[in-house]
Amino acid sequence: MTGERRGQRRLRAVRVRATLIAVLAVAVALVAGGTALVLGLRTELGNDVRDAARARAQEVARVIEAGRGVPAPTVADPDEEFLQVVDSAGKVVASSSNVEGLPALARLKPGERASVKTPLDEDRFLVVAVGAEDGDRKLVVLDGRTPAGAAEAARTVTRLLLIGLPVLLVLAAAATWAAVGRALRRVARAEAAQRRFVSDASHELRSPVAAVRQHAEVALAHPERADARALADTVHEEAVRMQRLVDDLLLLARADEGGRVTAPRPVDLDDLVLEEVRRLRSASPGLRIDGTGVGAARVTGDEDALRRLVRNLGENAARYARTRVAFALADTGDGRVRLVVEDDGPGIAEADRRRVFERFVRLDESRSRDAGGAGLGLAIVAEVAAAHGGRALVEDGARFVVTLPSGE
């Protein structure tokens, strides 16, 4: 099994475990919440039945205590409610028609309540007792109501939960599976990019190290023919090359870690561009370096990083230009600054205009590494531009454009 397959299998196992854990957590939360909902609903509806029974019993008690005698109580639903007025001896003084002739269905003191069996229904009735005085007689008004409605409501909610909870779990599993999959794909891409980055960096560092070692071994094997000056020049050249590569790698690593510029300050970008124009005129006397299009523009950021951006663009243009490199810089007036570096070289094919900003990418693989560099220059341009809230792109041929937020 290849390393890639092992990695895919490991990520798939992570995805399955994460989904199972999420579903179990959601299931526990839903079951606990559903149970609390049903119990709370049952309690609340039971309290409503109790309060309604007490209110009706108090209404009958007020009529009795008003001196109107003991009325013949009535109920709205004979199948779900009854009323009895009982004296201190437990004798029924008055009752609703549905329990007429029956003995007291409960022996309760005023303020008490109980659940009792009645001949009216198989379900037990909740009975509430309220005291009343009819002259010298102490009476108790009993109002009994069936809580069947509350129980049925609780059962209905329970059935709905039993139907809804599996659906919610399926939806949660699907959402988790998709979200974890996206996250793991990003992780896999990041790991692949990191492995590729390390591999490319190792390859790039191996070349100068091998060159130094080769010249040193030749000098050791044939000291009589060794040219100290040539050896020193080679070591110096390769050391400079390694130093620049390491600096590029460190800059990219910092960009990966931070993503944004720390401790930014105002930078006159036109000064950096004109500095690069002067440097190229000195370093490339065979080229015409045009800086007439450079206008005043200020940005906020890291001056050293922006100088590196401008220099990399200039070096890239000078490397491929036939006769001319042109710089243009302007504040567009919409809060953006536009930097253009263009050369009259062969240009970049449209299919490669995005890829050219990737790390260790050389569009002309046949050229020497000494001439072409490590393929990090334009990657650094893109990273620095992004870190400053801008972007880098190739508009046409060999015209590189960087847009940055204005610092005004």
Side-chain angles (χ1 to χ4, degrees):
M1 182 180 293
T2 65
E4 182 178 356
R5 288 183 178 178
R6 283 197 298 270
Q8 291 177 350
R9 188 171 180 178
R10 177 176 58 83
L11 292 178
R12 190 179 301 112
V14 171
R15 190 178 188 182
V16 171
R17 287 197 299 271
T19 302
L20 288 176
I21 292 172
V23 169
L24 288 174
V26 172
V28 171
L30 289 177
V31 169
T35 302
L37 174 63
V38 172
L39 292 177
L41 179 64
R42 186 185 294 272
T43 300
E44 187 65 26
L45 293 177
N47 291 338
D48 290 343
V49 171
R50 180 199 62 200
D51 294 341
R54 180 178 290 111
R56 178 65 177 130
Q58 288 173 343
E59 181 181 334
V60 174
R62 282 195 294 269
V63 172
I64 295 172
E65 292 184 340
R68 303 175 189 174
V70 180
T74 58
V75 295
D77 190 341
D79 293 328
E80 295 187 357
E81 183 184 5
F82 71 86
L83 269 166
Q84 289 181 321
V85 180
V86 182
D87 62 17
S88 57
K91 180 181 177 182
V92 176
V93 177
S95 64
S96 56
S97 59
N98 59 337
V99 290
E100 188 174 357
L102 294 179
L105 296 178
R107 297 297 300 272
L108 300 174
K109 295 179 181 179
E112 293 182 340
R113 66 176 184 269
S115 176
V116 300
K117 291 287 292 181
T118 71
L120 300 178
D121 198 295
E122 294 180 356
D123 294 323
R124 300 178 73 86
F125 274 55
L126 175 65
V127 181
V128 174
V130 174
E133 293 183 1
D134 181 24
D136 295 333
R137 287 195 303 174
K138 294 187 179 297
L139 304 176
V140 177
V141 181
L142 302 176
D143 186 290
R145 298 189 179 221
T146 175
E152 180 60 29
R155 284 193 293 270
T156 300
V157 172
T158 301
R159 285 194 295 270
L160 292 175
L161 289 175
L162 291 176
I163 295 172
L165 289 183
V167 175
L168 290 175
L169 288 177
V170 170
L171 292 176
T176 304
W177 182 265
V180 173
R182 285 195 298 270
L184 290 178
R185 281 193 293 272
R186 288 196 293 269
V187 170
R189 286 195 296 268
E191 288 182 347
Q194 184 181 30
R195 286 194 297 270
R196 186 169 60 251
F197 183 79
V198 171
S199 175
D200 290 338
S202 301
H203 182 73
E204 296 296 336
L205 288 170
R206 187 181 298 117
S207 297
V209 171
V212 171
R213 179 177 178 180
Q214 178 183 4
H215 283 77
E217 288 177 347
V218 170
L220 289 173
H222 305 284
E224 71 284 354
R225 289 186 293 175
D227 186 341
R229 177 69 180 181
L231 179 60
D233 288 342
T234 300
V235 171
H236 179 267
E237 181 180 345
E238 297 300 334
V240 170
R241 182 175 162 192
M242 281 192 292
Q243 180 180 356
R244 181 161 186 179
L245 176 59
V246 170
D247 289 342
D248 288 346
L249 293 173
L250 288 175
L251 191 151
L252 291 172
R254 286 196 297 269
D256 289 341
E257 291 177 1
R260 301 294 294 176
V261 179
T262 58
R265 62 185 185 86
V267 177
D268 291 322
L269 192 58
D270 52 308
D271 290 345
L272 302 184
V273 176
L274 293 175
E275 177 184 311
E276 178 61 15
V277 169
R278 291 189 294 269
R279 190 192 69 82
L280 282 181
R281 284 173 179 169
S282 175
S284 306
L287 295 177
R288 183 163 61 91
I289 311 300
D290 184 1
T292 58
V294 178
R298 173 171 288 187
V299 298
T300 300
D302 183 333
E303 182 174 351
D304 290 337
L306 292 169
R307 178 179 285 106
R308 187 64 171 278
L309 177 151
V310 174
R311 181 162 186 171
N312 285 5
L313 287 175
E315 288 183 345
N316 180 75
R319 182 177 298 126
Y320 297 104
R322 293 189 180 96
T323 61
R324 175 178 177 271
V325 174
F327 290 81
L329 176 68
D331 191 324
T332 59
D334 59 353
R336 311 292 290 179
V337 168
R338 177 180 168 94
L339 169 64
V340 179
V341 181
E342 187 174 11
D343 64 77
D344 59 353
I348 298 174
E350 186 173 356
D352 294 324
R353 290 176 187 172
R354 295 175 65 91
R355 195 167 69 89
V356 73
F357 292 104
E358 296 178 3
R359 300 174 185 185
F360 297 108
V361 167
R362 298 184 182 86
L363 300 184
D364 182 7
E365 293 292 349
S366 64
R367 73 178 187 266
S368 71
R369 293 183 184 273
D370 292 339
L376 292 176
L378 294 179
I380 289 175
V381 168
E383 294 284 358
V384 172
H388 286 76
R391 60 178 302 201
L393 54 88
V394 182
E395 279 192 344
D396 182 32
R399 183 187 302 125
F400 286 81
V401 179
V402 175
T403 56
L404 299 169
S406 173
E408 297 293 342

